[in-house]
Amino acid sequence: MSELLVRLEGPVEETLKHLVEAGFFKTKNEAVRAGILALGKEYHMIKSREEVMDELAAAKAQAMMQELRSGKKKALTMADVRRKYPEAFE
């Protein structure tokens, strides 16, 4: 954990004040933390939830394709899917 003293003035100070007064954040500290996280996402230092989910889905699809190619899994026809999961088509 690190502590940081930041002095703000002018438009930056006013923006921070308005964000807290409008209820977007409970405290100035919370708003500053959110701003740092947003910068981290913008500069690709951290990933958004959407990016993480996309990567997980891509990895799962890649693993499934590998199982199909190796013969460990078999692709189902639409008729097979309807028989196996009839409740999905009700």
Side-chain angles (χ1 to χ4, degrees), residues 27-45:
T27 65
K28 291 178 182 179
N29 286 333
E30 186 181 288
V32 170
R33 283 188 207 99
I36 292 168
L37 288 174
L39 285 170
K41 288 178 186 175
E42 181 178 338
Y43 289 98
H44 307 288
M45 302 298 291

Side-chain angles (χ1 to χ4, degrees), residues 53-70:
M53 295 304 289
D54 287 348
E55 287 178 5
L56 289 172
K60 178 68 176 176
Q62 192 172 27
M64 290 172 70
M65 289 301 296
Q66 185 60 34
E67 289 177 340
L68 286 169
R69 285 189 199 110
S70 69

